Amino acid sequence: MNFQYTEEQQMVRKTIRDFALTELAPTAAERDEKAEFPTEAIRKLGELGFWGVNVPEEQGGAGLDMISYCITVEELGRVDASAAIVISIHNSLAVYPVELFGNDDQKERFLKPMAQGRLLGAYALTEPEAGSDAGSIKTRAVRDGDHYVLNGSKIFTSAGESCDLLLVFVATDPEKGSKGLSAIIVEKGTPGLIIGKHERKLGIRSCETVAISFEDCRVPAANLIGEEGMGFKIAMNALNSGRIGVASQALGIAQACLDESVKYSKERVQFGRPISKFQAIQFKIARMGTEIEAARMLLYSAAGRKDRGEKFIKEAAMAKLYCSELAVRSALEAVQIHGGYGYIKEYPVERFLRDAKITTIYEGTNEIMHLVIADQILGR
């Protein structure tokens, strides 16, 4: 594949890179320490058009391609993985399902303001007894006239407090299992929507992860996305797209690990010369650089297929699997190259290592990715 960036893609990279270095980098370590959401920076990204990267301009978005989206999340992840996942969740897990399955009214009420940077979306799927097994959702939605009444709880909801609305997956017909699930938008401030505890996490600490409960929460039936029983299909479509976002975030972390390793190896002197002169360090950097380029092409292959309207389930899962594992490997190598300094917070590779691990877990664990890939290859 002879891949070359378009002028538009190059401009996107420069714009988002400059933004990340100016708006996120100076406070990334402090926000990580305090577990503080980058509210102002995220809102500015909305003003710049990065809340609706792939949404057509007539619907309020930037109308960019998927490669531009990958570049956006990668460059954010290269500086601040927490900000990267907020933008990924919003675009892939909140905006995309409404664009794909929403009706005209929902696109006007939700899609446009989400794409224009006025409403930040989040995704509420996981429950205490429903993680990889999404079909076991117990949060119940019962139709009552022009409303649904929601009762139940969700966990591990990223940006669940800072968002303006949640795409919530509920059981409208529990006896049907996964075929009885539905998707509905719940706006913040709705009575009965309760934000619970903030999880204390290893990494991506600047993006909150919260528990959510619903207690007789009345939501307009007009907020139902698609039809009753379409929830599992909507969730999986969103996650397939989201895996491209997570892969981009992971790629950004890996690239940051390489950047810092190159910088440090040229500055750190041992035995009278920079450690970049030692073959042991050179081999680590060579391997990192090679794998990052391979990961980027795998990711862009998935993105290209989505842009062309082709099936991309396998390619997205492969990209997520490979890029996330690469992020962890690269972070471990970066810490090793830094030696003892890599283990302290003065150097960012310590944060990169903590941030990298979650990319192998959320939006489908890598064990699930193996199953998805195998099913696609075997034609199941």
Side-chain angles (χ1 to χ4, degrees), residues 121-286:
Y123 183 87
L125 176 71
T126 305
E127 297 183 1
E129 296 181 23
S132 296
D133 182 12
S136 295
I137 284 173
K138 290 185 170 58
T139 296
R140 188 80 167 89
V142 178
R143 184 71 182 256
D144 181 21
D146 293 335
H147 289 76
Y148 283 94
V149 180
L150 276 59
N151 283 283
S153 61
K154 299 290 182 179
I155 59 172
F156 302 159
T157 304
S158 299
E161 183 170 57
S162 297
C163 68
D164 300 299
L165 56 83
L166 294 152
L167 181 60
V168 183
F169 293 87
V170 296
T172 47
D173 191 346
E175 294 183 0
K176 292 184 178 179
S178 63
K179 294 182 180 179
L181 301 181
S182 301
I184 192 165
I185 287 179
V186 181
E187 299 172 80
K188 292 295 288 294
T190 302
L193 169 61
I194 301 167
I195 305 300
K197 71 169 183 175
H198 285 229
E199 302 293 347
R200 299 175 62 192
K201 299 178 298 182
L202 174 71
I204 59 162
R205 289 170 46 81
S206 189
C207 172
E208 83 269 3
T209 300
V210 300
I212 295 173
S213 59
F214 304 93
E215 296 182 3
D216 292 329
C217 181
R218 293 182 63 84
V219 181
N223 288 12
L224 184 76
I225 302 298
E227 300 175 357
E228 285 193 12
M230 288 181 62
F232 191 79
K233 177 181 180 180
I234 294 170
M236 292 305 105
N237 271 273
L239 288 173
N240 287 331
S241 178
R243 286 161 189 162
I244 293 177
V246 172
S248 302
Q249 177 204 25
L251 180 61
I253 295 171
Q255 183 66 59
C257 290
L258 177 59
D259 295 341
E260 291 297 323
S261 296
V262 169
K263 177 183 174 183
Y264 182 81
S265 70
K266 291 180 177 180
E267 296 171 349
R268 176 65 168 167
V269 175
Q270 289 288 274
F271 304 102
R273 53 180 176 164
I275 63 172
S276 62
K277 299 291 185 180
F278 294 103
Q279 192 176 71
I281 303 299
Q282 292 172 358
F283 277 21
K284 291 179 184 295
I285 288 174

Side-chain angles (χ1 to χ4, degrees), residues 56-125:
E57 293 182 22
E58 59 270 23
Q59 293 182 325
L64 299 174
D65 62 4
M66 279 298 294
I67 301 294
S68 296
Y69 173 59
C70 293
I71 289 170
T72 298
V73 180
E74 177 192 344
E75 288 297 339
L76 291 173
R78 198 172 166 186
V79 172
D80 184 351
S82 294
I85 200 60
V86 173
I87 293 302
S88 176
I89 289 168
H90 174 80
N91 277 275
S92 291
L93 302 187
V95 168
Y96 182 57
V98 179
E99 181 184 1
L100 203 60
F101 296 99
N103 57 38
D104 291 342
D105 171 67
Q106 292 165 343
K107 289 179 180 180
E108 188 66 31
R109 288 192 295 131
F110 299 125
L111 181 61
K112 275 191 177 180
M114 282 197 287
Q116 292 169 343
R118 294 187 283 123
L119 291 177
L120 182 66
Y123 183 87
L125 176 71

Side-chain angles (χ1 to χ4, degrees), residues 1 3 9 54 64-71 96 240-241 243-245 247-248 295-320:
M1 181 171 64
F3 179 81
Q9 291 163 352
N54 304 127
L64 299 174
D65 62 4
M66 279 298 294
I67 301 294
S68 296
Y69 173 59
C70 293
I71 289 170
Y96 182 57
N240 287 331
S241 178
R243 286 161 189 162
I244 293 177
S248 302
R296 188 170 283 119
M297 291 300 100
L298 187 62
L299 172 61
Y300 288 177
S301 174
R305 290 182 69 87
K306 184 173 184 293
D307 266 338
R308 293 189 298 272
E310 299 171 2
K311 191 174 181 181
F312 65 95
I313 296 172
K314 178 186 70 176
E315 289 75 14
M318 285 178 167
K320 196 269 189 187

